[in-house]
Amino acid sequence: QVQLVESGGGSVQAGGSLRLSCAASRFQSSSTYSMAWFRQAPGKEREGVAAIRTDGTTRYTDSVKDRFTISQDNAKDTLYLQMDNLRPEDTAMYYCAADRGYMPFGWLLLHERYNYWGQGTQVTVSS
């Protein structure tokens, strides 16, 4: 059974940084997979933030480009999201998601394409 456990959320002031981690058990032993970070603010739809495939392909939503960096440590079976220059509008619950196989580039930020989800970690950015 695949398990994803996020950590690293918290409260920061605008301009600050946080690094989210997602520990993936019984999953990254697969030869190919896609993983992503999504976020959901109260009253809003879940939004794809950043995604990465086993081949290193990454995709970011426009609002976080040049501020967030997604990466993975295969040895530790961990996915990361480095978030710099945070803004109040980044405030949301952040979720880690994963699925086996190479997901087409156009699907990487679509939440309905992922079958495995973590429980979420809250990020709050104050102005």
Side-chain angles (χ1 to χ4, degrees):
Q1 182 177 354
V2 174
Q3 288 187 322
L4 304 175
V5 179
E6 302 98 332
S7 61
S11 298
V12 295
Q13 290 190 327
S17 298
L18 284 173
R19 189 176 81 157
L20 305 183
S21 299
C22 173
S25 63
R26 301 184 183 182
F27 183 80
Q28 288 188 304
S29 57
S30 299
S31 58
T32 60
Y33 53 85
S34 303
M35 297 189 75
W37 290 97
F38 288 80
R39 65 187 179 187
Q40 189 166 18
K44 294 189 176 181
E45 293 187 357
R46 189 164 297 192
E47 174 191 28
V49 176
I52 189 167
R53 295 188 323 201
T54 325
D55 63 355
T57 299
T58 59
R59 184 171 185 177
Y60 297 89
T61 193
D62 287 345
S63 65
V64 308
K65 286 180 180 177
D66 299 324
R67 299 190 299 122
F68 291 10
T69 303
I70 191 170
S71 63
Q72 56 191 2
D73 184 333
N74 292 333
K76 297 182 179 179
D77 288 347
T78 303
L79 179 73
Y80 300 101
L81 184 68
Q82 177 67 40
M83 304 186 295
D84 298 317
N85 192 19
L86 282 160
R87 304 168 180 170
E89 53 264 40
D90 294 319
T91 296
M93 184 72 78
Y94 282 71
Y95 298 91
C96 173
D99 212 292
R100 291 185 172 88
Y102 276 162
M103 196 173 293
F105 186 79
W107 290 7
L108 284 171
L109 297 182
L110 300 179
H111 65 85
E112 61 267 26
R113 297 299 179 180
Y114 291 85
N115 287 307
Y116 304 103
W117 291 85
Q119 81 290 348
T121 185
Q122 178 68 37
V123 171
T124 302
V125 185
S126 58
S127 57

